[in-house]
Amino acid sequence: MTDDAVDDHRPTESGQAAAAPAPYVRHDRRSGLTDPWEPLYSHYGQDAVWIGLRAAAPHANSRGFVHGGLLTALADNAMGLSCVHARGDPGVRLVTVNLAMDFISTARIGQWVEVRPTVIRTGSNLCFASALVLADGKACARANATFATPSR
């Protein structure tokens, strides 16, 4: 994604966010955790599920930075969905058994924030993934996670 594509999708003069940049569409999975962060957007690629949002005041801490907890939860969500996508079985349910996050820089209100995961390995019981979190195309965090198929 080029910087020009992101700049075309900043909030309008009325303060409402414009549509998400291509190839994103409205995210079709909702949960009680992520509902307050709507609208969320996603892109189902060949190898991963990207998740993004236009950072706004409800996403920020008192310093005007996107809260690290939100970035971590979005990374967890995107990596988990990517592992399910890579396994090719949409009915499988995974749980996070390990998650590490490194914050590289800040994401700020008004920026397009996106999580771009990479599935490292899938197995019968475990899946390993990593992700970069980008703010207007620049890395602001990285994540690594392990997911497991829970016992029934």
Side-chain angles (χ1 to χ4, degrees), residues 81-139:
L81 288 173
S82 293
C83 283
V84 169
H85 187 63
R87 289 174 58 109
D89 179 4
V92 71
R93 298 288 180 225
L94 299 176
V95 295
T96 308
V97 295
N98 187 51
L99 175 65
M101 192 79 165
D102 296 312
F103 299 99
I104 300 165
S105 68
T106 59
R108 297 178 183 263
I109 292 173
Q111 290 185 303
W112 174 253
V113 177
E114 61 188 322
V115 181
R116 292 190 176 191
T118 300
V119 175
I120 298 167
R121 181 179 183 277
T122 61
S124 58
N125 295 316
L126 295 175
C127 182
F128 301 88
S130 64
L132 270 181
V133 181
L134 307 171
D136 283 351
K138 295 182 179 150

Side-chain angles (χ1 to χ4, degrees), residues 19-97:
Y24 286 90
V25 296
R26 282 298 299 268
H27 190 50
D28 60 352
R29 295 199 42 159
R30 309 264 322 244
S31 76
L33 177 68
T34 60
D35 279 351
W37 305 336
E38 291 290 340
L40 293 177
Y41 298 89
S42 60
H43 166 65
Y44 282 74
Q46 183 176 347
D47 299 324
V49 179
W50 298 353
I51 295 179
L53 59 75
R54 175 70 56 199
H59 308 129
N61 61 25
S62 62
R63 292 184 286 302
F65 304 146
V66 176
H67 195 282
L70 181 142
L71 297 175
T72 302
L74 287 179
D76 181 41
N77 195 327
M79 289 186 292
L81 288 173
S82 293
C83 283
V84 169
H85 187 63
R87 289 174 58 109
D89 179 4
V92 71
R93 298 288 180 225
L94 299 176
V95 295
T96 308
V97 295

